[in-house]
């Protein structure tokens, strides 16, 4: 046998407990053939001496929004503004600078006639939201849609509300959403949760070409950060999807070599529909045509669980919690325990229909009351219809009471708490929750101790998607003020943090047999770092020197190698 690629002189962290380290790694036809003595006598088409650099399994982001992130790279980025005056100045510049993307490159507007902005958070402006009167002065009759970085709310102007027919005080809030109004009943420009769809339906769907270009931009960015696989947490519909044919855009990108990481896609539950045919159990079934369900696809592009939103967000104080939020900073939260995005009985019926049709479930549940609902429904579905090869998941599981840990483990439900939220949102969440409940927030170590599958993820672009910074956040749990977020006992060791983004994420996505560790027979997805995340003084100070998917480089900045991508991925 002649190997395609042989890595030598490397510090290889395999994440395989049977062989935790190595110095040589052989690759053939996209898979790992062997390590050290197993490949010592094999010739290779290319031998790459890494000069002592560290090799880890490729990073897996188990929950992100790649289309949204890629589109945002071509929209007005307001995340750098600090104070509303800076925000207004950016919007004014955006009105005068059509065709310039956030990265400074030419990018024709994906939705002509609109001003689309991304990256807003009131946390960056002392808790203040823009004045709709000022927005109207800046934008005039041009409709504005500025997404909050949580994804659970947006800021719009009067022109956008007027187009949606929602500018009058008499307009009723949609189920599961709120058009925020002042004391006189006038819209403030803030639309929460499902109310965003009133505006988004005027923008959607994005063209397949625009989504394909967004995927190319986003996954090149991922490659530069060492990411080799990701789960797209919601496509095809609802307020998180971008087109009813979003899967087709992914297929086009994969076929054209424009998808630079492996993708697992979660269809939003809204896009599933009743299916005729003979089904076991006699239950109602809802799915996609031809009976496609979780697990359909291949190593590059596949379908994951069906995504369903049960509640909102902690930063927006709309997540369903068992005790009211704390009042703080002039905000009176008396009686506010958040809300579900639909009647729980309706949510249960819809989830059961999808599960009966073969879908795994990924339930967005932020508050502990929503985690209760997710646990009840998923465990009932598993009892009635059996387990699923692709694990059921609770997305975020942001507030988890001690009594819920054992139930999660017993049900085999994976969780995706985002360490990336600690820095920007930690201080705000602490104020909302109070000191006692903050100890329940975004657990990590206690999940592992209870036997719960913990997957590393970012929720990008809601939060920072850099995996090395995410690992560091799991280790130190520091907010932007330098305060400890939650309980120090929830900190992970560096190895546990690396496992979250490798073996843990692979297990949570149902792909542990194929990736997550570097061992013979598994996919040759790896990341080359300037040092070891297990021993570095600061994990977030390491550099990504190269990224490979199936043994082919999607990014590389190695010394003595020509710049640029070495080879394109092919479906």
């Amino acid at each position: 046998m002649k190997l395609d690629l042989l890595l030598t002189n490397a510090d290889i962290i395999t994440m395989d407990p049977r062989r935790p380290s190595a110095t040589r790694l052989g690759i053939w036809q996209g898979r790992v053939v062997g390590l050290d003595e197993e490949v010592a006598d094999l010739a290779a088409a290319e031998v790459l001496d890494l000069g002592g650099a560290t090799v880890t399994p490729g990073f897996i982001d188990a929950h992100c929004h790649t289309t949204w992130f890629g589109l945002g790279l071509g929209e007005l980025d307001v995340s750098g503004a600090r104070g509303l005056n800076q925000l207004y100045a950016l919007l004014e510049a955006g009105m005068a600078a059509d065709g310039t993307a956030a990265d400074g490159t030419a990018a024709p507007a994906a939705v002509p006639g609109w001003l689309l902005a991304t990256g807003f958070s009131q946390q960056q402006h002392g808790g203040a939201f823009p004045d709709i009167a000022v927005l109207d002065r800046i934008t005039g009759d041009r409709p504005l849609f500025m997404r909050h970085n949580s994804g659970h709310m947006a800021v719009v102007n009067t022109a956008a509300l007027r187009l949606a027919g929602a500018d009058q005080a008499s307009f009723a809030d949609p189920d599961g959403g709120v058009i925020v109004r002042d004391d006189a009943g006038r819209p403030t420009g803030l639309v929460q949760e499902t109310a965003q769809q009133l505006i988004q339906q005027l923008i959607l769907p994005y063209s397949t070409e625009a989504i394909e270009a967004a995927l190319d931009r986003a996954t090149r960015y991922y490659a530069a950060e060492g990411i080799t696989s990701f789960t797209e947490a919601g496509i095809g519909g609802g307020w998180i999807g971008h087109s009813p044919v979003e899967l087709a855009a992914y297929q086009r990108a994969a076929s054209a070599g424009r998808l630079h990481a492996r993708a697992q896609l979660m269809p939003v539950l809204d896009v599933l529909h009743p299916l005729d045919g003979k089904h076991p159990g006699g239950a109602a079934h809802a799915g996609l045509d031809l009976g496609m369900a979780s697990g359909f696809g291949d190593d590059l592009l596949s379908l994951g669980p069906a995504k369903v939103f049960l509640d909102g967000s902690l930063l927006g104080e709309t997540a369903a919690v068992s005790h009211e939020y704390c009042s703080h900073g002039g905000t009176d939260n008396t009686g506010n325990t958040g809300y579900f995005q639909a009647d729980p009985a309706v949510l249960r019926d819809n989830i059961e229909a999808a599960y009966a049709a073969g879908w795994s479930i990924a339930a967005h549940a932020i508050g502990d009351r929503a985690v209760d609902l997710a646990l009840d429904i998923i465990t009932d579905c598993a009892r009635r219809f059996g387990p699923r090869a692709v694990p059921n998941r609770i997305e975020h599981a942001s507030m988890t009471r001690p009594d819920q840990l054992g139930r999660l483990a017993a049900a085999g439900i994976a969780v995706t708490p985002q360490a990336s939220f600690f820095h920007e949102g930690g201080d705000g969440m602490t104020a909302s929750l109070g000191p006692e409940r903050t100890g329940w927030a975004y657990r990590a170590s206690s999940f592992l101790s209870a036997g719960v599958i913990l997957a590393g993820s970012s929720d990008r672009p809601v939060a920072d998607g850099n995996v090395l910074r995410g690992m560091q956040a799991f280790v130190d749990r520091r907010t932007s003020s330098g305060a400890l977020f939650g309980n120090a006992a929830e900190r992970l060791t560096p190895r546990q943090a690396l496992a979250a983004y490798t073996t843990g994420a692979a297990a949570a996505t149902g792909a542990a047999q194929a990736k997550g560790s570097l061992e013979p027979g598994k996919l040759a997805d790896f990341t080359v770092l300037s040092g070891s995340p297990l021993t570095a003084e600061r994990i977030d100070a390491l550099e990504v020197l190269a990224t490979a998917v199936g043994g082919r480089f999607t990014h590389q900045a190695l010394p003595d190698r020509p710049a640029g991508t070495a080879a394109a991925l092919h479906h």
Side-chain angles (χ1 to χ4, degrees), residues 198-292:
L198 299 168
I199 311 302
Q200 287 176 306
Q201 66 187 0
L202 305 172
I203 299 170
L204 299 173
Y206 285 89
S207 71
T208 302
E209 291 78 7
I211 296 174
E212 184 183 348
L215 296 176
D216 186 21
R217 286 195 295 268
T219 57
R220 286 183 185 276
Y221 202 103
Y222 289 5
E225 294 186 339
I227 295 170
T228 57
S229 293
F230 65 93
T231 295
E232 172 75 89
I235 67 165
W239 59 262
I240 201 67
H242 295 86
S243 167
V245 292
E246 205 161 350
L247 174 58
Y250 263 95
Q251 289 178 305
R252 283 174 52 130
S255 297
R258 303 182 76 185
L259 188 62
H260 309 291
R262 304 185 194 277
Q264 181 189 65
L265 311 182
M266 292 182 179
V268 175
L269 197 71
D270 308 47
V271 307
L272 307 186
H273 50 264
L275 295 176
D276 294 328
K278 296 181 180 179
H279 303 291
H285 283 57
L288 297 181
D289 293 322
L290 301 178
M292 288 190 296

Side-chain angles (χ1 to χ4, degrees), residues 297-317:
D298 60 20
D299 290 329
L300 180 58
L301 182 60
S302 64
L303 293 177
K307 171 79 175 291
V308 57
F309 288 91
L310 301 189
D311 68 344
S313 74
L314 282 182
L315 284 175
E317 297 177 336

